[in-house]
Amino acid sequence: MHEVRRPSGGLFHPKVWFVKYTDDDQRSAYRLLVLTRNLTADASWDLAVRLDSSGLSRRALRENRPLQAFLRSMPGRTIRPLDAERTARVERLATEAGFVEWEYPEAVESVTFHYLDHGREGSIDFAGARHLVVSPFVNDNGLNLIRPDGPISILSRQEELEKLTPESVARLDAFIIDTLAGFRDEPEAGEKPADGPAQGLLGHLHAKMYVIEPHGRAHRARLIIGSTNATDAALRTNVEFCVEFEGPRKHLGIDAFLGDDAPFRTLLESYQPVGGAKPDSQEDEQKDLDDVLRAISEITHTVTVTATAGSSAGRRSSP
């Protein structure tokens, strides 16, 4: 575990695992996890993408370049320099990542990685005719970056939707997590309850997902999952990482999630926000305090203790 510096004015926000496995015959396999979940025990609604390797290419693959760049950036981000051996290990993993051929999930025809390090790396193209946004945090500027005008279907937290302006709210088909959703997977008679949070005690929405359907008659859809919230900070300032799938609309399109028979839809309830809620001053103060604490934590502190004449250095004393 190594502390990293934030980008100027933003956050280091990715949730990524890249793992290499080696068997007794020295054959290697790779796994990539792109999550919306942090390393906490919080009970929340999250998403995870798992990609496993199907083999290694003889040449570096262009589609893996964002993943390579992300991994290679890690040693340079740490507050305390990594030792040479660990830096070399990260570099070797980054190099190998460029050659991995990934197994695609069912109905997926292409995979794209998005490494956002604004001002230096990447961006996401949100152009399309229909949009579904799943994001716990959202603001007006973020929605305008995703779609400057026109309708948007959105799943978010109720309090976040109410912070939007009435103008933004007017173009939303909004949903929140159904308050009963956590009670629906009750065990069968005699079946042992699943490990984990108690039924019905699942927390806030924390998943981040975007579904984009293109203009025209193309029967395609793009599904993006990762760390990026629907805010201008996430889309313009933070360091983020996402994975994008492309495939048929009937499998990856908006109706596959919001259609009457879609399993995802059964977790949701429609919500009509009013918008225009006044900012919570305590919340803004807490954000400012958190920002100051993050800045302090990035300072490398050195403490020097010196003995002076007449001091009690070296003695033990009781308070």
Side-chain angles (χ1 to χ4, degrees):
M1 300 288 287
H2 300 276
E3 307 99 321
V4 298
R5 296 188 187 279
R6 301 167 298 154
S8 177
L11 296 175
F12 180 81
H13 201 242
K15 300 96 170 61
V16 176
W17 297 64
F18 180 69
V19 187
K20 177 182 179 180
Y21 301 94
T22 304
D23 66 14
D24 293 338
D25 296 323
Q26 299 304 305
R27 292 173 299 191
S28 298
Y30 300 84
R31 174 167 291 170
L32 177 67
L33 303 178
V34 179
L35 314 176
T36 68
R37 185 168 186 80
N38 293 306
L39 275 176
T40 69
D42 290 348
S44 57
W45 294 95
D46 273 294
L47 289 167
V49 172
R50 189 190 86 189
L51 292 176
D52 290 318
S53 60
S54 62
L56 292 175
S57 172
R58 293 184 177 181
R59 59 179 179 82
L61 301 175
R62 182 174 182 178
E63 54 265 34
N64 288 336
R65 288 179 185 174
L67 176 60
Q68 272 192 308
F70 173 72
L71 295 174
R72 282 197 170 116
S73 75
M74 293 300 106
R77 295 185 181 280
T78 59
I79 294 173
R80 297 169 182 82
L82 301 187
D83 61 65
E85 180 183 356
R86 186 169 294 274
T87 299
R89 286 174 59 192
V90 174
E91 175 59 32
R92 286 196 298 271
L93 277 175
T95 298
E96 293 173 34
F99 293 82
V100 176
E101 296 175 331
W102 300 105
E103 294 179 358
Y104 290 176
E106 184 179 356
V108 169
E109 297 175 2
S110 69
V111 172
T112 302
F113 298 117
H114 296 286
Y115 164 35
L116 309 183
D117 185 6
H118 299 288
R120 294 191 292 179
E121 295 282 349
S123 62
I124 299 175
D125 178 9
F126 288 104
R130 297 181 70 200
H131 295 73
L132 166 61
V133 172
V134 177
S135 178
F137 300 104
V138 58
N139 62 19
D140 299 291
N141 290 335
L143 289 179
N144 289 335
L145 289 169
I146 293 165
R147 186 169 193 178
D149 52 57
I152 296 176
S153 297
I154 187 168
L155 167 62
S156 189
R157 298 180 183 181
Q158 180 175 335
E159 61 270 23
E160 289 292 306
L161 292 169
E162 293 297 349
K163 293 177 186 177
L164 298 171
T165 64
E167 291 77 16
S168 290
V169 163
R171 63 190 184 106
L172 299 182
D173 179 20
F175 300 87
I176 57 175
I177 293 288
D178 189 336
T179 53
L180 297 179
F183 290 92
R184 291 187 176 154
D185 293 327
E186 298 292 344
E188 299 285 342
E191 181 182 352
K192 181 181 178 181
D195 293 334
Q199 295 292 328
L201 296 181
L202 293 172
H204 280 302
L205 172 75
H206 196 251
K208 295 95 174 166
M209 180 178 78
Y210 301 88
V211 182
I212 305 162
E213 295 183 2
H215 293 283
R217 301 179 63 182
H219 297 288
R220 319 295 301 158
R222 297 163 54 215
L223 169 65
I224 301 170
I225 296 173
S227 63
T228 307
N229 286 299
T231 65
D232 53 335
L235 296 170
R236 284 181 166 172
T237 309
N238 293 352
V239 175
E240 310 274 2
F241 196 91
C242 300
V243 60
E244 175 182 325
F245 301 125
E246 185 173 356
R249 287 188 187 184
K250 66 178 181 178
H251 297 296
L252 302 183
I254 293 174
D255 292 340
F257 294 93
L258 296 184
D260 292 338
D261 298 326
F264 184 77
R265 180 65 181 84
T266 65
L267 300 174
L268 315 181
E269 59 176 300
S270 296
Y271 178 73
Q272 183 56 58
V274 176
K278 294 182 179 179
D280 185 335
S281 60
Q282 283 191 324
E283 184 177 321
D284 290 340
E285 289 172 2
Q286 184 63 51
K287 287 181 179 178
D288 291 341
L289 177 59
D290 289 343
D291 196 52
V292 171
L293 293 175
R294 291 187 183 105
I296 293 172
S297 70
E298 293 175 353
I299 300 172
T300 302
H301 293 85
T302 302
V303 178
T304 303
V305 179
T306 59
T308 59
S311 72
S312 57
R315 302 178 188 172
R316 292 185 178 180
S317 61
S318 300

